[in-house]
């Protein structure tokens, strides 16, 4: 009765969150609101503002090379021990594919002729930044960055590299998390950042066409001024590029509401390894004329072609946002609450996130200024429900009615509605602060998994039993998307514990037909683990398609598919 | 002021449409609500209830063979003049591919051994039904229908046929409109109707897994009992099968709201030409592990593999439906109204349909009992707006407020809100009655096109200028999806007029980067016209993929891609 009153009492004050017109204001209002991607990327918090450019973020990197990171690649010896694990992933030993040529002076001359001197980058500092991934976990040794300005230049580069058997790495904002956007050895880096034009915007249909190098945040700002939003939003938006987002099939914050890029991307232009430009840049919602080839390039991480232009369906901006922080007594209640929320909130539900009590405990113990909005007792599970709609008063009343019914029905043990922007921020801070708290607590092994919702938390419990008191196992994530962030927290990295965690975690995920990479892709990190989520027949077909589209294998080699199958 | 009052007056009575729990009741309430597919399929209305089975619909067909239809195929002579055009498409002369074998007694024995006697169909009447398409426009001369009951049987059949170089046609409900689901010559017909089991349903995540032969309406009924809906719904749902829906990437009534099957299908199981079973039957919302191969099979019309199982994301059923019938003074107002509706109605908008005054004129003149809800004057354009949401009173008020604002802003010249089910039916009857009215008015050339919304109606006007008073050119369709149904009505079919219409209509569509098949696919009818909507480079890659997956070309030959490129 007490908790029931609490919800009633707290909801008696009017609370309406308006998304502001200016994107920067929006960021101020909801700084914690954009951390979804960050949940699997704790360094982001440590490195600071995700909007910073790579060069801003990476100044101390030079000091680290050769010390914190393990040996650089040994091209001459054709052996390359990758940098040490940063968050506990096992080291990978790879061979450079000897069929690839190495850059020579003639190549450089040719590139400068076609692209112009300043778009052929050999400057050491810029090479270092482009060779190193965001997490400083992977580092290549490329000696050349090319900056095409047009599709024709991308085409020319690929045609040339293909004829010379020079391997290439397409690079967008270089914000990927699986080593997909940096060279493994000396691959030529093709950065897309100079192709940053918005080509057209159809307000009636809500269709944006732009070049691949557009930074996501710039698109968000442009659309905001037009009264629209991007159907994807993620923590890295200040640096990541739409071409990279599409190539990695980024999920992000708005996935629950707007779904996958396979549904939202209407068209692409992509350049194949041999320089052929595939014009699939449709701007139509319906087009059933032949095979829908663009889907091959969505999520193939640049290994089948380089995306040069994107056409995307964008929804109108909605004005009303409401947020509730709730407690559930068990995981079954969380599931039932999700089911009811989808049914009762239906069209306005925009986020359904959860964390367990161990996650909450970490946040309360390690992050300054964070308080439990539902004191005094700890609950087993916490859920954040966000709604986004077009009518403030209706949406608010709808959410309140839903919450009251859910409390009466016993699905919720306790709950509060954010009464203002500060409260909304503090609620999101709890959910988004989990990765940062984990980092502060010590060493952490992190896994980004998709599982059937009903099975999701079983893995957390199974892992607890397996590891015993030696490790703290926490589970949180995007319950509405079936996306679990499983984290194992330890005082320090421990190979014995890692041996208990892997391959168990992949085998368990595979057993329940889950995905070992919900949203980050395979890149270099998990290329050899693809069999945990895909059948041999599917992998064989992927390899055949790779060989069909890129017979010399020059596009982003060693990534996505096991090298043993493609080289 | 008068029209403003009208809207106010008519909306003063409470109108709430409840979707009923029972599907049959649902059909009774909204008989006109399921005619979207029918808009391009007028025979459906003439033939009667779409739920009837093919054998019920087709009894008079036997009398027609050899009379109403032109010559049957001449396999021996390797020349096949297809049946005469039914609605004005030009006749196609094709050669049977001589590399395909013909069925012999050993084959039949083998098939019976594996599939059982009764699943190897050679009965004349059933062969006739399976050889003939729904429109009675295409007719093959297959002598064999196989009815697999399991994926393993499908695999065995394809492996055998591939080894013997026997061509096959996968067939679902045989409700396609472009000749894609019937043989062209003597291809073996593989019907999927025996694979009709629902495999699982996850209520928490809303994920249905079923066999490909499930009839769409049966899935709708099952989900209705669970409180969910299919994300697609179409006029043929009483006969069509989910495997066929996915193979043709069916659009349907709920496209505006729930989007394409590329976004809703979570997983597939498909059998390749060589019998390999591809298990892509994921049930996850997020899975970024390698290339998303399932998309190759969505919309490839059975030419790359046979879909045997489907996993699909289904939304919760929403309880409140409202419908408005509106008049706009010009096409620009229709566009602006769409823009506003998407912005203001946002999350509850579920249909935005339009018809021009010539369409309305045809309906009023040729269909009994249909009245103009907005007398006395005729308007230039009419728009239907439907909302579907979870809260009846809120949704109704939201729609009313939107309509009043739109009238004040001059976007709407006049309008009425349906006050009860009968009114809702009568409004849908106007929109859905256009194809039937066109049929009654005489001969008709029909085109199902996707175009940028702002260009869509220009084609109707260009065609009017081109044809002059000799023909009546009407435009209507799914404005919200950018899908135009362009129809040219004449007293009788006229090759001179057809010569003016084609290839002009395809060239015009191509010029504005439209699609010559918005939702029906290419099948046999438009396989040779693919270049109007796809670039040579894309078609070349499609052909390469076809050859990779089906080297002998046994899967649905002569369809989708120009035979000159694949054989």
């Amino acid at each position: 009765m007490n908790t029931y009153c609490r919800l009633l009492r707290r909801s008696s004050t009017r609370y309406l969150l308006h998304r502001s017109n200016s994107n920067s204001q929006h960021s101020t209002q909801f700084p914690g609101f954009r951390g979804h991607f960050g949940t699997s990327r704790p360094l982001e918090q440590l490195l600071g503002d995700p909007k910073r450019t790579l060069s801003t973020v990476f100044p101390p990197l030079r000091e680290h090379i050769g010390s914190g990171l393990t040996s650089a690649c040994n091209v001459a010896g054709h052996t390359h021990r990758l940098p040490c694990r940063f968050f506990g992933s096992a080291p990978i030993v790879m061979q450079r594919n000897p069929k690839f040529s190495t850059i020579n002076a003639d190549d450089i001359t040719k590139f400068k002729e076609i692209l112009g001197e300043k778009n052929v980058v050999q400057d050491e500092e810029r090479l270092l930044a482009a060779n190193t991934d965001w997490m400083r976990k992977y580092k290549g040794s490329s000696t050349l960055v090319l900056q095409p300005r047009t599709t024709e230049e991308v085409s020319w580069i690929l045609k040339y590299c293909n004829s010379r058997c020079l391997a290439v790495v397409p690079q967008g904002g270089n914000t990927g998390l699986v080593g997909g956007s940096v060279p493994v050895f000396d691959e030529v880096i093709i950065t897309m950042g100079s192709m940053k034009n918005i080509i057209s915007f159809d307000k009636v249909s809500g269709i944006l066409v732009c070049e691949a190098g557009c930074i996501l945040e710039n698109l968000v700002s442009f659309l905001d001024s037009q009264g629209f939003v991007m159907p994807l939003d993620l923590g890295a938006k200040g640096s990541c590029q739409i071409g990279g987002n599409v190539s990695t099939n980024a999920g992000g914050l708005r996935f629950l509401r707007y779904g996958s890029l396979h549904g939202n991307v209407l068209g692409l232009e992509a350049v194949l390894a041999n320089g052929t430009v595939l014009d699939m840049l449709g701007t139509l919602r319906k087009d059933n004329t032949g095979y829908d080839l663009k889907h091959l390039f969505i999520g193939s991480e640049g290994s089948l072609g380089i995306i040069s232009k994107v056409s995307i369906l964008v929804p109108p901006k909605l004005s009303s946002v409401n947020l509730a922080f709730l407690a559930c007594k068990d995981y079954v209640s969380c599931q039932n609450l999700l089911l009811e929320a989808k049914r009762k909130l239906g069209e306005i539900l925009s986020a359904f996130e959860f964390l367990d009590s161990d996650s909450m405990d970490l946040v309360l113990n390690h992050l300054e200024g964070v308080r439990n909005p539902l004191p005094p007792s700890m609950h087993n599970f916490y859920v954040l429900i966000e709604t986004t709609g077009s009518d403030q008063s209706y949406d608010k009343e709808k959410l309140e009615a839903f919450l009251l019914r859910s409390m009466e029905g016993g699905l919720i043990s306790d709950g509060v509605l954010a009464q203002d922007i500060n409260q909304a921020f503090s609620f999101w801070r709890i959910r988004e602060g989990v990765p940062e708290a984990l980092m502060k607590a010590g060493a952490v092994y992190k896994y980004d998994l998709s599982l059937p919702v009903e099975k999701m938390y079983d893995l957390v419990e199974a892992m607890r039993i397996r590891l015993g008191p030696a490790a703290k196992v926490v589970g949180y994530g995007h319950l509405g998307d079936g996306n679990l962030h499983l984290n194992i927290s330890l005082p320090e990295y421990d190979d014995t514990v890692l041996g208990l965690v892997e391959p168990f975690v992949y085998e368990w995920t595979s057993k329940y037909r889950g995905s070992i990479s919900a949203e980050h892709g395979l890149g270099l990190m998990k290329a050899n683990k693809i069999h945990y989520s895909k059948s041999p027949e599917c992998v064989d077909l992927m390899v055949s398609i790779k060989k069909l589209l890129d017979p010399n294998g020059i596009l982003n080699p060693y990534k996505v598919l096991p090298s043993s199958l493609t080289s």
Side-chain angles (χ1 to χ4, degrees), chain A:
Chain A
M1 191 57 200
N2 189 33
T3 57
Y4 184 80
C5 290
R6 173 184 291 174
L7 191 58
L8 276 178
R9 193 181 67 245
R10 299 207 179 192
S11 66
S12 61
T13 313
R14 194 157 200 80
Y15 158 64
L16 294 169
L17 283 176
H18 300 263
R19 284 187 183 272
S20 67
N21 284 328
S22 143
N23 185 65
S24 61
Q25 285 178 303
H26 174 120
S27 300
T28 313
Q29 289 185 333
F30 286 90
F33 189 50
R34 54 199 66 267
H36 163 114
F37 215 57
T39 54
S40 307
R41 197 161 76 202
L43 254 198
E44 193 178 301
Q45 281 87 8
L46 300 183
L47 291 172
D49 185 350
K51 289 181 214 168
R52 285 198 224 172
T53 61
L54 202 63
S55 56
T56 323
V57 172
F58 272 172
L61 190 62
R62 270 163 293 169
E63 285 82 55
H64 282 267
I65 301 301
S67 56
L69 300 170
T70 54
S71 61
C73 66
N74 177 352
V75 176
H78 291 182
T79 297
H80 180 72
R81 185 172 165 86
L82 286 179
C84 70
R85 57 180 181 255
F86 207 93
F87 290 122
S89 60
I92 307 166
V93 177
M94 297 202 74
Q95 300 290 319
R96 182 182 184 277
N97 188 333
K99 79 176 176 189
F100 294 135
S101 310
T102 50
I103 296 281
N104 62 33
D106 285 352
D107 298 327
I108 302 291
T109 307
K110 277 273 188 194
F111 288 133
K112 286 183 175 171
E113 256 175 48
I114 301 293
L115 304 175
E117 194 92 19
K118 77 182 176 69
N119 294 311
V120 179
V121 178
Q122 296 177 288
D123 166 73
E124 200 178 316
E125 190 169 349
R126 290 173 70 192
L127 279 175
L128 179 62
N131 266 306
T132 314
D133 85 315
W134 178 274
M135 299 282 287
R136 293 187 284 182
K137 187 174 167 184
Y138 301 99
K139 185 180 166 291
S141 55
S142 176
T143 58
L144 186 63
V145 175
L146 301 178
Q147 298 181 146
R149 293 157 300 179
T150 63
T151 300
E152 291 67 34
E153 289 186 352
V154 177
S155 169
W156 182 88
I157 292 169
L158 287 182
K159 192 174 176 185
Y160 182 87
C161 289
N162 196 46
S163 70
R164 283 271 294 118
C165 216
L166 286 166
V168 304
V169 182
Q171 190 173 83
N174 194 14
T175 60
L177 300 174
V178 288
S181 58
V182 290
V184 180
F185 299 96
D186 58 343
E187 299 91 277
V188 175
I189 301 168
I190 303 177
T191 63
M192 299 300 289
S194 298
M195 292 182 63
K196 56 187 175 188
N197 293 308
I198 290 172
I199 298 166
S200 67
F201 179 60
D202 174 351
K203 279 186 83 154
V204 176
S205 299
I207 296 167
L208 174 75
V209 183
C210 66
E211 290 183 321
C214 288
I215 289 175
L216 181 58
E217 188 163 58
N218 294 344
L219 297 178
V220 170
S221 299
F222 168 78
L223 289 174
D224 189 79
S225 71
Q226 305 287 316
F228 288 79
V229 293
M230 284 294 283
L232 88 158
D233 188 12
L234 39 88
K237 74 174 171 182
S239 306
C240 67
Q241 296 170 10
I242 188 67
N245 296 146
V246 174
S247 294
T248 53
N249 189 29
L253 288 165
R254 294 181 176 142
F255 191 94
L256 178 68
R257 181 61 164 270
Y258 298 115
S260 145
L261 287 175
H262 285 285
N264 293 310
V265 170
L266 297 182
L268 292 177
E269 180 188 77
V271 187
L272 299 184
N274 65 5
T276 298
V277 178
L278 283 187
D279 177 359
M280 309 166 285
L281 199 62
T283 55
L284 306 167
R285 289 208 66 182
K286 288 179 172 177
D287 177 20
N288 281 350
T289 54
Y291 311 152
D292 203 342
L293 297 174
K294 67 174 179 279
H295 295 286
L296 278 177
F297 301 90
I298 302 174
S300 58
E301 304 179 49
S303 66
L304 295 180
I306 298 185
I307 292 174
S308 46
K309 292 184 185 124
V310 174
S311 161
I312 188 164
L313 184 70
V314 300
K317 189 170 59 175
L318 299 175
S319 57
S320 109
V321 181
N322 292 285
L323 186 66
F325 193 91
L326 311 165
C328 295
K329 67 179 185 297
D330 52 31
Y331 184 69
V332 171
S333 298
C334 297
Q335 288 182 65
N336 289 335
L337 187 65
L338 171 61
L339 180 62
E340 284 302 301
K342 286 166 83 172
R343 187 161 294 159
K344 296 293 179 356
L345 299 173
E347 65 276 13
I348 61 169
L349 181 64
S350 58
F352 195 105
E353 300 284 309
F354 90 110
L355 58 157
D356 61 13
S357 61
D358 283 327
S359 304
M360 175 64 104
D361 194 40
L362 275 163
V363 170
L364 296 176
N365 287 336
H366 293 282
L367 299 191
E368 278 184 31
V370 176
R371 291 181 192 174
N372 186 349
L374 301 172
S377 63
M378 288 287 285
H379 299 271
N380 291 321
F381 291 89
Y382 298 90
V383 167
L384 266 92
I385 293 182
E386 187 198 62
T387 65
T388 309
S390 58
D391 193 306
Q392 297 147 7
S393 55
Y394 289 164
D395 293 351
K396 177 79 182 305
E397 284 173 37
K398 190 181 276 191
L399 177 59
E400 285 177 356
F402 165 73
L403 294 177
L404 290 177
R405 276 196 305 271
S406 300
M407 290 204 83
E408 284 167 352
L411 292 182
I412 302 172
S413 321
D414 200 354
V416 283
L417 261 174
Q419 302 301 322
D420 56 32
I421 289 159
N422 290 333
Q423 274 197 8
F425 170 71
S426 70
F427 294 175
W428 274 116
R429 173 73 177 137
I430 295 167
R431 164 63 187 83
E432 299 304 336
V434 184
E436 190 181 337
L438 280 159
M439 286 292 294
K440 291 188 173 173
V444 59
Y445 297 106
K446 302 177 71 66
Y447 300 92
D448 169 40
L449 311 165
S450 269
L451 283 163
V453 172
E454 66 175 15
K455 284 285 166 203
M456 230 166 84
Y457 205 73
D458 291 353
L459 174 56
V460 181
E461 288 170 341
M463 193 63 84
R464 278 191 188 127
I465 292 166
R466 189 170 173 84
L467 301 185
K472 187 161 193 164
V473 180
V474 310
Y476 64 95
H478 320 292
L479 196 72
D481 305 331
N483 188 178
L484 171 72
H485 296 302
L486 170 70
N487 285 252
I488 292 133
S489 174
L490 295 163
E492 55 193 27
Y493 289 109
D494 182 333
D495 280 347
T496 311
V497 174
L498 183 59
L500 286 170
V501 174
E502 291 186 23
F504 173 79
V505 62
Y506 294 125
E507 287 169 352
W508 201 98
T509 303
S510 180
K511 182 177 168 189
Y512 292 103
R513 299 184 66 92
S515 169
I516 61 160
S517 182
E519 54 186 6
H520 299 162
L522 295 171
L524 178 63
M525 181 183 170
K526 298 180 190 169
N528 288 321
K529 297 187 170 70
I530 192 170
H531 284 104
Y532 284 112
S533 285
K534 291 290 154 71
S535 72
E537 295 81 9
C538 286
V539 175
D540 286 351
L541 180 53
M542 289 180 205
V543 170
S544 299
I545 287 173
K546 168 71 176 173
K547 288 179 176 171
L548 176 70
L549 271 73
D550 179 18
N552 293 329
I554 64 161
L555 281 166
N556 221 1
Y558 322 106
K559 320 280 178 67
V560 188
L561 297 167
S563 291
S564 57
L565 301 178
T566 52
S567 55

